[in-house]
Amino acid sequence: GSDVGAAEATPGAAPGTKDLPAFVWSEMDVALRQEGMSAPRLNILKTSHRPLRLTMRRPGNIMNLRAEVQVERRSPDMGELEVRVEAVGLNSRDVLKALGHYPEDSGDIGNDCSGTVVNVGGIRPEGAVARKIDPASFRKVVGIDASQDCMYDVFWPEATQSDDRGTRESLSRGQVLVIGTRSEILCHALGFESKRCIIVDTVSEALQAVGSATWAAVVYDGSGAQLDALEDALQLVKLFASMAPAAPRLLIVTSGSQPPDLTLEQHDPEHAGLWGLARSARFEFPTIEIVCVDVCKLERLAMEGGVQSRSSPPDAIWSETDVALREESVLAARLVRSQVAPERPLRLEMSSRGSLTNLRLTPQTNRQRNLADSEVEVRVAAVGLNFRDVLNIMGLYPGDPGDPGSDCSGTVINCGAGGCVESSFSCADRVFGIVPGCLCMYRITRQQFLVPRPEAWSAEAAAVLPVIYTTVDL
């Protein structure tokens, strides 16, 4: 890309005559001005509007990413769309790929993005930074974000038996290194035979023992002070990461830190942070195997004289990553869509007049925080539509009637300076009246336009009365 700039014309050698100005012999394009003469020059443009892409020359360093011209583009096939990418969300998977820590080659960096559809099935506008996607893998933005579809709960069903019998039996026969002062009780709770368990009291002893023999698993008892337990677990993770992929399986055991099948008194999340450490370590070091196991409170079992031994370790500790052992059941963690729907301020937005279908539910983002004197803010509970609102939406009302909506009922949630004193309103008072533009969750109006709602009236019944009430009362 280049641009034309002006420079001072330079004199050149005249071939045989000096009657003409020197620039006639040295320049092809000249601009004569009172202050002098200038000649055009080509300069390199500092910006470019060409399609670009980030290319990773080789994995191992974020600095290996380079912006290059995107020259490979094709028309989308049937069922594909082409998107002009506007923003990209990078996650830990992309960072691992850029650093060369991802276990397999899974394509270019980048997966989550937002943008604009520029081509459908072969119609191709030019000059867009683009990426082809399957139409089923994205959703259209219609005002409300999709965060309610991104909330999950942890569900604990019964763990299923692993199909890999050979791996399970080989791991079940090997030696197990158990770390902690409650190691004997822990071996019984997990179903390990005493003759298979080598017990050490501290992590420093375990760090020396791990490299001196072959272990089927290393069991760490997450107890004691929170920070000390996290520091010990972190040392084990670092050691296992240096040994990968030959590191043994690491079992981090907590007592009652996870809630399934526990009462409020039994649930003790003091060491739940170890589960968060393990999950982060799995993302950063995917080649090491870290399993979190939660058992019933070991202190209570110890005071009762021991625990009932399992005949063998449950299959779940060899095939799952998050396991909860209860009296007669083995539970595995699963993610399910949450039944909790987030609440956010919403409003009915009218994009244009002429049709009721132009009303769209969108987030209410322009709430006024500072109220003037004698103003109150109402949380709208119900809205009564009248003929004027219909004419407004249809574009048949003379002049500009403003936003639709006028009659409503709700709850006072904020008062301007002096407003609550003059009107005797206070926060949480239930009111009804005239609130212009009330097709939203929160709206500000003058306190003179509101009256208290009687206890016997519902919010819906009160919302249809303001016009009638005002007509009769006045």
Side-chain angles (χ1 to χ4, degrees), residues 218-229:
V218 174
V219 181
Y220 171 67
D221 178 17
S223 60
Q226 294 183 38
L227 293 181
D228 292 341

Side-chain angles (χ1 to χ4, degrees), residues 65-132:
L65 291 172
R66 294 290 186 270
E68 297 180 354
V69 177
Q70 181 182 3
V71 295
E72 297 180 0
R73 289 181 61 192
R74 65 173 178 85
S75 298
D77 297 329
M78 184 65 65
E80 288 185 330
L81 301 176
E82 190 175 20
V83 176
R84 187 186 193 279
V85 178
E86 297 173 358
V88 176
L90 296 179
N91 51 43
S92 58
R93 177 175 175 269
D94 300 316
V95 177
L96 291 175
K97 289 169 63 177
L99 295 177
H101 295 161
Y102 205 74
E104 58 184 14
D105 183 12
S106 55
D108 297 334
I109 293 177
N111 186 58
D112 305 340
C113 75
S114 63
T116 305
V117 175
V118 298
N119 198 359
V120 180
I123 304 173
R124 183 184 183 82
E126 296 299 330
V129 180
R131 185 72 176 173
K132 272 67 67 180

Side-chain angles (χ1 to χ4, degrees), residues 177-406:
L177 179 64
V178 186
I179 309 167
T181 57
R182 305 178 300 179
S183 300
E184 293 185 3
I185 300 176
L186 198 58
C187 290
H188 289 295
L190 296 178
F192 291 118
E193 298 175 356
S194 300
K195 62 182 181 180
R196 294 179 52 202
C197 297
I198 306 298
I199 297 175
V200 295
D201 293 334
T202 63
V203 171
S204 58
E205 297 178 71
L207 295 178
Q208 298 176 357
V210 167
S212 62
T214 301
W215 307 96
V218 174
V219 181
Y220 171 67
D221 178 17
S223 60
Q226 294 183 38
L227 293 181
D228 292 341
L230 286 170
E231 183 178 357
D232 290 344
L234 181 59
Q235 292 186 46
L236 290 172
V237 169
K238 289 181 177 179
L239 174 62
F240 280 48
S242 65
M243 298 172 58
R249 184 180 300 258
L250 174 61
L251 273 63
I252 298 178
V253 183
T254 57
S255 303
S257 67
Q258 301 302 311
D261 293 352
L262 295 181
T263 64
L264 187 61
E265 292 76 18
Q266 295 172 332
H267 182 209
D268 183 10
E270 180 180 9
H271 292 292
L274 291 170
W275 287 58
L277 173 65
R279 287 167 181 163
S280 299
R282 291 188 199 117
F283 279 107
E284 295 183 19
F285 307 106
T287 56
I288 63 176
E289 297 178 327
I290 304 177
V291 181
C292 292
V293 182
D294 188 67
V295 299
C296 296
K297 294 290 289 183
L298 293 182
E299 293 86 351
R300 176 177 60 82
L301 298 174
M303 290 187 295
E304 293 176 356
V307 297
Q308 182 178 1
S309 298
R310 295 179 181 271
S311 59
S312 63
D315 291 344
I317 65 174
W318 312 119
S319 59
E320 300 285 347
T321 56
D322 297 318
V323 181
L325 302 183
R326 297 303 180 246
E327 293 182 359
E328 296 183 357
S329 59
V330 180
L331 310 178
R334 296 289 185 268
L335 282 180
V336 296
R337 288 203 181 276
S338 176
Q339 300 299 317
V340 178
E343 294 186 359
R344 58 177 62 80
L346 301 175
R347 64 187 296 264
L348 271 177
E349 182 181 18
M350 181 175 60
S351 58
S352 61
R353 291 184 171 89
S355 175
L356 293 176
T357 59
N358 292 336
L359 291 173
R360 292 288 186 272
L361 198 61
T362 61
Q364 182 183 0
T365 57
N366 57 343
R367 288 181 58 191
Q368 181 180 344
R369 299 297 181 183
N370 298 323
L371 276 64
D373 293 346
S374 74
E375 284 187 335
V376 294
E377 187 175 17
V378 178
R379 190 186 192 282
V380 178
V383 176
L385 297 180
N386 53 45
F387 192 59
R388 178 179 181 275
D389 298 316
V390 176
L391 294 177
N392 183 357
I393 297 172
M394 299 299 294
L396 303 177
Y397 200 86
D400 183 8
D403 294 332
S406 177

Side-chain angles (χ1 to χ4, degrees), residues 50-57 66-71:
R50 293 173 295 177
L52 301 175
R53 65 188 301 266
L54 274 179
T55 302
M56 182 174 62
R57 296 183 176 180
R66 294 290 186 270
E68 297 180 354
V69 177
Q70 181 182 3
V71 295

Side-chain angles (χ1 to χ4, degrees), residues 10-25:
T10 56
T17 178
K18 296 184 179 180
D19 295 336
L20 296 175
F23 66 82
V24 173
W25 312 111

Side-chain angles (χ1 to χ4, degrees), residues 382 409 432 453 456-466:
S409 63
F432 75 102
R453 173 162 65 91
W457 292 8
S458 66
E460 294 79 6
V464 300
L465 292 177

